[in-house]
Amino acid sequence: AMHHRTTALTTLFLLLLAPGLSTAQVEESNAIESLRETGKAFASVARAVSPSVVFISVEGSREAPAFAPDDFLRRFFGDQFPGTPRGRAPQRDNRVFGQGSGFVFQTDSGLVSDKSYIMTNNHVVQNADRITVRFQDGREFQATVTGTDPQSDVAVIEIDTDDVTPLPLARSSELEVGEWVVAIGSPFGLRSTLTVGVVSATGRTSIGINDYEDFIQTDAAINPGNSGGPLVNLNGQVVGMNTAIFSRSGGYMGIGFAIPIDLAKSIANQLIDGGSVSRGFLGVSIQPLTQELAESFGIDRNEGIVVAQVSKSSPAERAGVEVGDIIVGYQGKSVTDTGDFRNRVALTPPDSRAELTVLRDGKRRTLKVTIGALDDAGSVAQSDGATARELGMAVQTPTAQMAEQLGIEPGEGVLVTQVTPQSPAARTGITPGTLVLQVNRKPVNTAEAFYAAIEASANNRAVLLIRSGDSQQYVVLNW
């Protein structure tokens, strides 16, 4: 209402000041003025934020290379990405060079005397022997790694100065689709570059870039070298950290991803406090609630996720979680997405108490669980393990209800629930819904038995007996 009133007053003022102007000319003038004000807003953000954004150059060994932007894109998007961008330092001897962005951020405890912390992506500084950061004003510092977390792709580095201004952090949980955002960084080594766009989506959890994902999707241009730079709102507050693009050419194609600052901040502060991240452990394998599964369980399709497996002696088993439970709530908030649930469990401090709400036999139950600590071999709450990622497929032990629905005998094989496109499993012809009866001529009837048989296979090769519909055949799986 205030905007319309202001526009009307401006129009009236212009008509009184220049009665010869037509209404169309006045409206055009108003539109230009509005654009001018929008441009001023972006310029104001740039002035406030750019002094705290850094260009990061790294040097590492060829055997354990530091991040290079094209290497990162090839890792996720194949070999279509073109060659080394112009301006990249050439490789020589046994050294490789890479670059990225970062920003000084406001930590929970504030800045330590004579030290500042910079947030960036793990893939920017991973395995780097030498890290140099350069500010907009030309100052350069040698940085050391405070801590890295490859699973979320968050890292913190530190420099020996407190003569820099940390950027304030917003609450990314309050970010709305359609909001203006500004990405600042050093794409292709071009320092202090600003691009603008809007929030296209939030809560992107199945992209396949990191182990723990909750991306903000934006159409603000993000290119190689932007990684680690801030995504900020019009108040100059950081809402996310730029991390990747979706591209078939290697250049920006309209979709960029940023790690929400709520997640990045939680991890960064743990890295500062202890140099590593402690994650909560529940001990279940989960899968999305498909329409068919929902109908078989007799529940609303949009409510919850399915427990496909409960690890022995895990916090979940001790709390009474059972295979076939539908998890509909965690800590008083609804659960509808497997990735979001994994993140929420992982961010729960170990040894703390949590409430898990499940549907079992059509009845809602609240279970009290003491969250454990995730170690390298544990599973937070996931649909596959390291072996499953190598194969590009995840399996589960069919419940009695599933067995009846599929027309199989209980204990007959394991059900394939997920297959990654272009993976070894996909190339073999395995699809979701396939039943795996044998691995290397031995029956498997639980997910644990399947993965154990795969891990025991020699030369990354296994012979599977599979059934799809009425067809049963042997296939050779190589990974």
Side-chain angles (χ1 to χ4, degrees):
M2 179 63 73
H3 171 74
H4 292 305
R5 192 179 306 121
T6 302
T7 301
L9 289 173
T10 302
T11 301
L12 178 62
F13 174 76
L14 288 172
L15 287 172
L16 291 173
L17 185 65
L21 291 177
S22 67
T23 302
Q25 288 174 314
V26 171
E27 289 177 350
E28 182 179 334
S29 177
N30 288 337
I32 292 173
E33 182 61 28
S34 177
L35 287 174
R36 186 176 291 115
E37 291 302 316
T38 302
K40 288 181 179 179
F42 295 144
S44 175
V45 171
R47 283 194 300 271
V49 174
S50 293
S52 301
V53 180
V54 299
F55 170 71
I56 300 175
S57 58
V58 297
E59 181 180 348
S61 62
R62 191 178 301 250
E63 292 78 12
F67 165 73
D70 55 328
D71 294 338
F72 173 64
L73 289 166
R74 285 196 183 94
R75 174 184 170 193
F76 297 120
F77 308 119
D79 293 328
Q80 299 96 327
F81 182 64
T84 304
R86 287 186 300 172
R88 167 98 59 82
Q91 295 183 357
R92 62 180 184 272
D93 299 328
N94 247 1
R95 312 303 295 167
V96 293
F97 301 85
Q99 61 192 29
S101 303
F103 59 96
V104 183
F105 69 102
Q106 195 170 54
T107 67
D108 279 351
S109 57
L111 293 178
V112 178
S113 178
D114 298 326
K115 182 179 294 187
S116 294
Y117 294 107
I118 294 169
M119 192 183 300
T120 187
N121 284 145
N122 172 73
H123 71 255
V124 171
V125 297
Q126 185 178 23
N127 297 322
D129 296 329
R130 180 182 177 88
I131 305 172
T132 304
V133 301
R134 184 181 299 119
F135 285 84
Q136 184 186 37
D137 60 10
R139 288 184 296 168
E140 283 192 4
F141 298 89
Q142 296 305 307
T144 57
V145 174
T146 307
T148 63
D149 182 46
Q151 291 177 294
S152 66
D153 202 19
V154 174
V156 176
I157 60 178
E158 57 190 72
I159 55 176
D160 293 331
T161 182
D162 58 4
D163 187 23
V164 290
T165 303
L167 294 181
L169 309 182
R171 291 176 62 89
S172 54
S173 59
E174 298 175 357
L175 196 62
E176 295 185 356
V177 172
E179 281 191 47
W180 281 108
V181 285
V182 176
I184 299 180
S186 305
F188 304 108
L190 304 172
R191 293 186 292 277
S192 299
T193 299
L194 175 147
T195 57
V196 300
V198 298
V199 175
S200 306
T202 59
R204 294 297 198 208
T205 59
S206 301
I207 307 301
I209 298 174
N210 301 333
D211 289 339
Y212 295 93
E213 299 180 331
D214 186 22
F215 289 123
I216 299 166
Q217 180 183 322
T218 177
D219 63 356
I222 295 173
N223 276 298
N226 268 119
S227 290
L231 187 72
V232 302
N233 59 24
L234 294 186
N235 295 322
Q237 300 168 318
V238 182
V239 298
M241 177 168 58
N242 306 322
T243 190
I245 61 174
F246 180 82
S247 175
R248 291 184 174 87
S249 67
Y252 171 72
M253 292 182 65
I255 300 177
F257 297 107
I259 301 171
I261 201 61
D262 291 353
L263 174 62
K265 174 186 175 182
S266 173
I267 293 168
N269 282 311
Q270 287 191 62
L271 293 175
I272 292 172
D273 290 341
S276 62
V277 177
S278 176
R279 288 188 166 89
F281 168 61
L282 185 58
V284 296
S285 291
I286 54 178
Q287 68 178 91
L289 185 63
T290 64
Q291 185 65 47
E292 288 184 336
L293 284 175
E295 291 174 358
S296 69
F297 281 94
I299 60 174
D300 185 348
R301 161 69 181 89
N302 295 320
E303 187 176 24
I305 57 178
V306 184
V307 176
Q309 184 177 336
V310 179
S311 300
K312 292 182 179 180
S313 303
S314 65
E317 184 184 63
R318 289 192 292 269
V321 179
E322 297 180 3
V323 172
D325 282 350
I326 311 298
I327 300 175
V328 296
Y330 183 72
Q331 294 294 63
K333 295 183 178 180
S334 62
V335 172
T336 58
D337 178 80
T338 56
D340 177 65
F341 180 68
R342 274 188 88 219
N343 290 339
R344 285 159 63 181
V345 172
L347 291 175
T348 304
D351 298 324
S352 62
R353 298 272 287 176
E355 280 192 356
L356 200 65
T357 305
V358 303
L359 284 177
R360 184 184 302 165
D361 299 325
K363 296 181 180 179
R364 188 177 294 257
R365 303 167 184 256
T366 299
L367 307 176
K368 303 284 188 179
V369 58
T370 300
I371 298 297
L374 180 70
D375 56 27
D376 292 338
S379 66
V380 176
Q382 59 187 29
S383 56
D384 56 58
T387 302
R389 286 195 294 275
E390 292 175 9
L391 302 179
M393 61 182 284
V395 304
Q396 73 167 83
T397 308
T399 65
Q401 288 175 303
M402 292 178 188
E404 182 179 355
Q405 183 184 18
L406 294 168
I408 62 175
E409 294 296 325
E412 184 183 18
V414 293
L415 184 66
V416 177
T417 58
Q418 293 178 327
V419 177
T420 304
Q422 307 302 319
S423 66
R427 291 193 294 271
T428 306
I430 296 172
T431 60
T434 297
L435 196 67
V436 180
L437 303 173
Q438 297 179 3
V439 176
N440 295 327
R441 310 296 296 275
K442 294 182 179 179
V444 290
N445 51 27
T446 66
E448 293 96 331
F450 171 83
Y451 289 125
I454 289 293
E455 290 176 358
S457 300
N459 302 319
N460 292 344
R461 182 178 182 274
V463 177
L464 309 185
L465 177 61
I466 64 173
R467 182 189 300 164
S468 182
D470 295 330
S471 175
Q472 190 165 301
Q473 62 178 323
Y474 284 102
V475 296
V476 178
L477 182 62
N478 293 284
W479 68 94

